[in-house]
Amino acid sequence: MRCVWCDSEYTFTGGDHFTVDDVLEQVRAFNCKLVEVTGGEPLAQREAFILIKRLCDEGFEVLVETGGFVSTEELDHRARIILDVKCPGSGEAARNHWPNLERLRADKDEVKFVITGLHDWNYALEIIERYELDRRAKAVLVSPAWGALDLKDLAEWISSSGLDIRMQLQLHKYIWGPEVHGV
């Protein structure tokens, strides 16, 4: 585990299962007040809901980056959600849990689409319109899938849409390359 702000690092030892208390202890040691819970689908682990609540109880600013497959209904309301809507190009669009979009809060939550091409872009526009995401979420983010489309094309699509959408690049892939993990 590494804190990207203070560059502190900690490796858990003693097996593959860590208690919520283990994680909280290490988060406190980082001495950072912003915590992002992410990694695949963090909400698929029941303990994540407990961890998030306890982090909020201790005054941390908590971001939860979710793949959107698991309901956010029981998530602590103090946490900010970054909800990934899977587009058809991902092969996982059927797994989207649509009620999550209805729970987004305009003052704190974000929604993200990863685009592989024009078909995904049109799909994202349809979902943005259907769920009024430009008004329901604090931010609508669109990221190009690595190597799948020309960044200029995506920038032009966003610009010509007239919507308040931010283009988001996976900077770690540009800096360290797409094969490097854990940065």
Side-chain angles (χ1 to χ4, degrees):
M1 182 185 301
R2 177 178 293 281
C3 176
V4 295
W5 291 276
C6 65
D7 202 37
S8 298
E9 184 172 5
Y10 181 82
T11 304
F12 287 107
T13 58
D16 292 330
H17 183 73
F18 311 107
T19 67
V20 169
D21 287 331
D22 292 335
V23 176
L24 282 167
E25 180 181 333
Q26 185 52 52
V27 169
R28 287 184 208 108
F30 283 143
N31 200 28
C32 296
K33 293 310 285 181
L34 177 65
V35 177
E36 182 167 355
V37 179
T38 187
E41 177 50 79
L43 301 182
Q45 300 178 59
R46 194 71 202 144
E47 294 86 1
F49 290 88
I50 297 164
L51 173 64
I52 292 162
K53 180 186 182 317
R54 291 194 47 200
L55 287 165
C56 289
D57 288 346
E58 291 191 26
F60 288 96
E61 180 180 356
V62 180
L63 312 177
V64 179
E65 189 158 349
T66 172
F69 308 142
V70 177
S71 174
T72 59
E73 187 172 17
E74 294 180 37
L75 193 61
D76 192 295
H77 70 279
R78 297 169 291 181
R80 292 181 15 205
I81 298 168
I82 305 165
L83 183 73
D84 189 3
V85 176
K86 300 298 185 191
C87 293
S90 72
E92 299 194 19
R95 295 182 67 193
N96 288 317
H97 185 73
W98 298 111
N100 284 339
L101 294 175
E102 296 166 357
R103 282 190 284 279
L104 291 171
R105 299 156 298 177
D107 63 327
K108 61 172 48 175
D109 297 332
E110 300 177 357
V111 63
K112 177 179 73 172
F113 297 85
V114 177
I115 306 296
T116 61
L118 186 57
H119 181 258
D120 281 351
W121 170 249
N122 289 329
Y123 178 84
L125 289 176
E126 177 186 328
I127 299 303
I128 292 166
E129 181 180 334
R130 180 184 311 154
Y131 289 92
E132 300 178 327
L133 296 180
D134 53 334
R135 290 188 290 270
R136 180 169 278 153
K138 183 173 185 175
V140 176
L141 312 170
V142 176
S143 296
W146 180 259
L149 72 134
D150 188 297
L151 298 181
K152 287 186 237 172
D153 289 341
L154 182 56
E156 287 176 16
W157 298 340
I158 292 170
S159 177
S160 66
S161 75
L163 296 172
D164 186 13
I165 296 174
R166 283 194 339 233
M167 185 169 165
Q168 180 185 47
L169 302 179
Q170 295 175 308
L171 289 179
H172 63 284
K173 290 185 179 180
Y174 290 92
I175 296 168
W176 291 283
E179 303 304 320
V180 177
H181 299 281
V183 294

